[in-house]
Amino acid sequence: MSAESQRPLQLLAVVAHPHDLTHMGGTCAHHVERGDNVSVTAITGGTTTHNEKLFDELRKPPDQRDMSILSRSEEEYAKSKEREFGKVCGVFGITDVRVLPFSDNPLEVTESVVKALAEILYDVRPQMMLTHSPYTLPDRRCHLAWVNDHTAAGIAVQRAIQRVNIPDRDQGRAPHRGASTYYTGGDYAFHEVDVCIDISDQVANRKKAEILFESQGHTEELAEKRIESSAGFQGWKAHVGYAETFIH
């Protein structure tokens, strides 16, 4: 093995919401274990998309609602989500964790978002990236007429990649071009994915990560259900215990 092949990779995972990292957490953990440098960025805090406790309260009759949940500010909720995100990343051995201050649901692909991602690409200069697919997701053999947060994140990442591919004359920065970008395959049918990563050794961590998102109302029972029905199903199709899938 050459000295070059033994050098640690720089891997960057970019997700729309903090919880999305769980779908690629086992893969990130494998890279951490092999000595690679793993950085994670959430474009939004996921405060609108994943506020399940608020959703549950609003479903109740007005006189039965928990006002402590209804009166909690978005800033307070965002801080709790960010703390959880840091703990979740820590479960997988990730210490470089960033949360950008953009709104979700909908996530708009603005110049500010692309510029912020480009700055992270210049800083990290990853050889490999994990993110969402920039393509609209299939829905009963049709395509969605709108872009959701995940596909918007994928589009923003692609635009940022394109931006850092050319020299930055204003700040004198060399261009950067990574070797590979992989899109999480959780939203796609198994026959559409290109790569299956056996994460059987990370099942306990995947479940722990789900439970840590307490602000989203996650429980041990929900964590068990999510992992068995997602990573367990993908693993069964790939003839391993549990798997995370990607499109290349």
Side-chain angles (χ1 to χ4, degrees):
M1 181 179 292
S2 67
E4 182 69 22
S5 63
Q6 296 182 53
R7 291 177 58 187
L9 289 173
Q10 186 68 57
L11 185 148
L12 173 62
V14 178
V15 293
H17 319 111
H19 180 262
D20 297 328
L21 188 274
T22 59
H23 301 294
M24 55 186 77
T27 300
C28 289
H30 286 177
H31 281 277
V32 171
E33 290 174 354
R34 73 181 295 271
D36 294 334
N37 300 311
V38 178
S39 302
V40 172
T41 295
I43 301 177
T44 78
T47 55
T48 302
T49 302
H50 288 302
N51 199 342
E52 277 84 356
K53 286 186 177 181
L54 177 61
F55 298 164
D56 288 343
E57 290 305 312
L58 291 175
R59 292 187 182 101
K60 299 176 183 178
D63 60 342
Q64 297 179 20
R65 295 172 181 173
D66 185 340
M67 293 307 299
S68 66
I69 295 176
L70 268 63
S71 62
R72 183 172 54 176
S73 68
E74 186 172 332
E75 291 77 13
E76 181 184 353
Y77 180 60
K79 289 179 180 178
S80 68
K81 291 273 291 182
E82 189 167 350
R83 288 193 295 270
E84 290 171 349
F85 189 39
K87 292 178 182 178
V88 166
C89 289
V91 168
F92 301 113
I94 304 164
T95 57
D96 184 5
V97 183
R98 316 179 193 203
V99 180
L100 298 179
F102 299 107
S103 300
D104 64 314
N105 197 20
L107 166 60
E108 302 288 350
V109 184
T110 64
E111 169 64 17
S112 296
V113 171
V114 174
K115 182 178 180 180
L117 291 174
E119 289 300 318
I120 292 174
L121 286 171
Y122 276 126
D123 180 39
V124 175
R125 292 188 176 268
Q127 287 91 16
M128 181 183 298
M129 291 190 66
L130 306 180
T131 189
H132 303 283
S133 169
Y135 312 115
T136 52
L137 307 180
D139 182 17
R140 299 193 180 189
R141 299 183 182 180
C142 299
H143 291 282
L144 298 179
W146 63 91
V147 175
N148 63 28
D149 281 4
H150 294 164
T151 49
I155 292 169
V157 168
Q158 290 302 312
R159 291 185 180 175
I161 289 173
Q162 182 183 36
R163 178 166 299 187
V164 301
N165 273 345
I166 60 177
D168 181 359
R169 291 181 179 274
D170 293 337
Q171 299 191 39
R173 293 183 290 197
H176 172 74
R177 180 171 297 176
S180 298
T181 300
Y182 294 87
Y183 309 128
T184 181
D187 293 316
Y188 289 83
F190 186 80
H191 71 273
E192 296 176 294
V193 304
D194 301 308
V195 179
C196 297
I197 305 298
D198 184 352
I199 60 149
S200 300
D201 62 323
Q202 290 292 322
V203 172
N205 284 338
R206 279 286 305 263
K207 292 179 180 179
K208 183 177 180 180
E210 291 287 350
I211 296 170
L212 282 171
F213 279 109
E214 294 180 1
S215 68
Q216 297 183 193
H218 286 198
T219 62
E220 291 187 19
E221 293 78 13
L222 177 63
E224 186 78 23
K225 179 71 172 180
R226 287 184 65 93
I227 301 309
E228 294 299 327
S229 62
S230 58
F233 173 75
Q234 299 291 353
W236 177 66
K237 297 289 287 186
H239 305 291
V240 297
Y242 298 82
E244 291 172 351
T245 57
F246 298 88
I247 297 170
H248 184 41

